[in-house]
């Protein structure tokens, strides 16, 4: 990939102000952090063809072979700490919009930040933030989007649970087009970060788990029930089999599966 080809026709105000493309790196999140700490502008985006140590939430490995879109963006969000989850939400909303624009049908968000098509994961985002004083001053949003991956490109255990744009649309895409769609969608959503009502409403509308029976894996235990509410900031509410409600916040949720 080249910055020049990503920039061709890109109309964003913040996201993609600076663009770097690399071949093989450990993790684009590390590149973005190093640049951010050296004063990279908000919106600077770092792409790699391949990652050798791609990481996901809860310390999981993110499989990142050539053919996918692996990028990280430097952000300086103006949100209080208790609203930081809005940054994760706008990331997932942006990727879902981009995935739809790129031709996959009906992408939804599996709380808190997976984008799924027919309940198979097509993308994940990882937001890492630094706190100085009471509010975050710097964040890196890493986005992994399975673009041209075939079934055989996924580790065996992930095959039934994963998909890609190529699998969904039946054709390979130019990674530059995919990059542009993601940057443009993220620019739109990121500029709406203060519009909490809109983010909450769209996040709920895009939910893949609302009104479905799910199994939620937290750091401490596994909880099963009907998802009666999904909120970008407050988390999810389950109705347990006992009839009691149970609220779970995103930061405690390692994984949500359909039960
Ligand atoms: C998840 O679903 O757990 C989040 C996955 C995030 C993966 C992306 S790929 C680009 C960026 N660099 C990383 O090391 N991780 C993120």
């Amino acid at each position: 990939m080249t910055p020049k080809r990503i920039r061709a026709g890109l109309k964003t105000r913040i996201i993609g102000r600076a663009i770097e493309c690399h071949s093989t790196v450990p993790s684009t999140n590390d590149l973005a952090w190093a640049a951010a700490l050296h004063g990279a502008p908000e919106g600077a985006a770092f792409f790699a063809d391949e990652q050798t140590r791609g990481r996901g939430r809860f310390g999981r490995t993110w499989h990142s072979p050539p053919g996918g879109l692996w990028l990280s963006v430097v952000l300086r969000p103006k949100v209080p700490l208790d609203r930081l989850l809005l940054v994760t939400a706008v990331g997932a909303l942006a990727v879902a919009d981009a995935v739809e624009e790129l031709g996959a049908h009906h992408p939804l968000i599996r709380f808190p930040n997976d984008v799924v098509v027919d309940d198979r994961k097509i993308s994940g985002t990882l937001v890492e933030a630094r706190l100085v004083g009471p509010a975050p001053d710097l964040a890196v949003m890493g986005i992994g989007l399975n673009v041209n991956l075939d079934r055989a490109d996924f580790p065996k255990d992930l095959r039934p649970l994963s998909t890609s744009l190529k699998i969904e649309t039946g054709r390979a895409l130019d990674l530059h087009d995919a990059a542009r769609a993601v940057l443009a969608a993220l620019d739109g959503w990121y500029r709406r970060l203060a519009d909490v009502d809109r983010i909450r409403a769209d996040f709920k509308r895009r939910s893949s788990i609302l009104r479905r029976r799910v199994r939620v894996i937290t750091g401490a235990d596994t909880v099963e029930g009907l998802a009666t509410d999904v909120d970008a900031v407050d988390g999810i509410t389950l109705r347990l089999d006992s009839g009691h409600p149970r609220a779970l916040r995103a930061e405690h949720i390692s994984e949500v599966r359909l039960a």
Side-chain angles (χ1 to χ4, degrees):
M1 294 175 83
T2 69
K4 193 171 166 206
R5 289 189 57 200
I6 295 174
R7 245 185 242 116
L10 180 70
K11 294 187 197 76
T12 56
R13 281 197 228 157
I14 302 173
I15 308 299
R17 262 186 200 149
I19 297 177
E20 277 185 22
C21 294
H22 297 258
S23 48
T24 304
V25 301
S27 160
T28 54
N29 265 37
D30 294 343
L31 290 181
W33 272 115
L37 297 171
H38 283 92
E42 181 170 49
F46 298 82
F47 291 82
D49 295 337
E50 184 180 20
Q51 299 182 118
T52 53
R53 300 191 61 181
R55 59 179 181 267
R57 294 179 68 242
F58 284 80
R60 285 187 284 256
T61 298
W62 181 261
H63 182 62
S64 328
L69 195 69
W70 321 126
L71 74 139
S72 299
V73 182
V74 173
L75 300 173
R76 300 179 193 277
K78 283 162 201 63
V79 289
L81 181 57
D82 61 353
R83 292 275 164 102
L84 188 59
L85 286 165
L86 289 173
V87 179
T88 299
V90 295
L93 285 164
V95 175
D97 282 357
V99 161
E100 193 156 40
E101 195 195 314
L102 293 165
H105 293 298
H106 208 44
L108 294 173
I109 298 170
R110 185 170 58 202
F111 190 86
N113 57 1
D114 292 349
V115 175
V116 297
V117 177
D118 276 337
D119 294 316
R120 290 170 191 247
K121 182 160 172 170
I122 197 164
S123 168
T125 53
L126 172 69
V127 175
E128 298 170 327
R130 180 179 81 164
L131 293 181
V132 174
D137 72 327
L138 192 57
V140 166
M141 180 188 289
I143 298 175
L145 174 58
N146 302 328
V147 179
N148 292 329
L149 274 66
D150 292 309
R151 283 223 184 284
D153 295 324
F154 292 99
K156 258 205 181 99
D157 54 325
L158 293 184
R159 275 178 209 163
L161 311 171
S162 312
T163 192
S164 71
L165 280 164
K166 186 176 175 196
I167 295 168
E168 294 303 319
T169 63
R171 63 189 173 88
L173 265 103
D174 186 325
L175 284 175
H176 299 91
D177 294 340
R180 217 175 297 116
V182 169
L183 295 181
L186 185 58
D187 191 68
W189 275 108
Y190 188 65
R191 287 194 283 113
R192 272 181 233 133
L193 200 53
D195 194 348
V196 182
D197 292 346
R198 167 88 190 267
I199 295 169
R200 283 186 141 142
D202 275 45
F203 193 79
K204 209 182 284 271
R205 189 178 57 80
R206 278 268 192 210
S207 173
S208 77
I209 62 164
L210 191 58
R211 292 180 289 276
R212 295 175 84 184
R213 209 180 151 75
V214 291
R215 186 172 304 133
V216 180
I217 300 159
T218 73
D221 57 1
T222 300
V223 198
E224 206 172 301
L226 180 75
T228 53
D229 195 20
V230 175
D231 184 82
V233 179
D234 296 334
I236 58 183
T237 309
L238 299 187
R239 189 165 66 226
L240 307 178
D241 292 343
S242 63
H244 290 103
R246 167 90 185 259
L248 293 149
R249 293 186 58 86
E251 53 269 43
H252 301 135
I253 296 178
S254 150
E255 209 180 318
V256 178
R257 294 189 194 147
L258 295 175

